[in-house]
Amino acid sequence: AQSVTQPDIHITVSEGASLELRCNYSYGATPYLFWYVQSPGQGLQLLLKYFSGDTLVQGIKGFEAEFKRSQSSFNLRKPSVHWSDAAEYFCAVGESNQGGKLIFGQGTELSVKP
Amino acid sequence: DGGITQSPKYLFRKEGQNVTLSCEQNLNHDAMYWYRQDPGQGLRLIYYSQIVNDFQKGDIAEGYSVSREKKESFPLTVTSAQKNPTAFYLCASSLARVESTEAFFGQGTRLTVV
């Protein structure tokens, strides 16, 4: 079955510390992978996406993610977290020509300590 | 500015009543989607449409209905058959049948059934 797993429901990091959010997927075809961020009560904003090519992709707000086919993973990283990064983060997988037909993970809530 | 507008932001209805959520986009996207978000469960696809006058069921279509009479609009009706309608509903749109496309999301409608 196609699925996305985000193992960490809630993560707390100190401001200025590095961050890694985990994402594992199970998908029968070539996966097209996304990370979205959601502030409370708001819609989703795309951070970055991977379709093909370089397996390390850069996104907005200083985020990056690395696609590892052998591990079925697409982890999100940021070298130095800012207080404004506190939000919920969703990993999703889909088909390349149906950009909105996505399977989402359960989400990881990020808290940032001063 | 181009974007997706969902209205209203908050909606309260009595149990047993049908209610319609509005979604309008001016991005000239062919494809539109409705997702439901519950705490700890990520987003789940309700219905999607890739072209006017055509739509398909997603993973949790029971108790919902949609129409797509105009390219810009994709309203969702939550019927009295939906057993647990209280949730956050998100509308999205994307290009259709285009490689490397991505979804853009509205700000959501929080529906509370009392």
Side-chain angles (χ1 to χ4, degrees), chain A residues 7-109:
Chain A
D8 304 305
I9 296 173
H10 190 194
I11 284 182
T12 300
V13 300
S14 298
E15 190 167 16
S18 63
L19 171 70
E20 182 169 27
L21 302 183
R22 296 182 291 164
C23 173
N24 293 97
Y25 65 88
S26 172
Y27 200 71
T30 301
Y32 293 91
L33 296 153
F34 305 82
W35 275 100
Y36 283 89
V37 62
Q38 183 183 37
S39 297
Q42 300 296 311
L44 274 66
Q45 181 183 24
L46 181 69
L47 286 175
L48 47 78
K49 60 187 179 184
Y50 173 77
F51 290 107
S52 64
D54 192 347
T55 56
L56 183 64
V57 293
Q58 303 296 319
I60 62 171
K61 305 184 180 187
F63 286 93
E64 67 178 26
E66 186 171 13
F67 171 60
K68 294 185 177 180
R69 185 184 298 275
S70 62
Q71 298 178 21
S72 298
S73 70
F74 188 56
N75 294 349
L76 182 72
R77 300 194 293 250
K78 186 169 184 178
S80 177
V81 170
H82 188 262
W83 65 266
S84 61
D85 293 324
E88 188 149 24
Y89 292 79
F90 292 95
C91 181
V93 65
E95 300 174 29
S96 71
N97 62 353
Q98 295 193 59
K101 188 170 181 284
L102 300 168
I103 299 169
F104 282 86
Q106 302 93 321
T108 297
E109 185 178 356

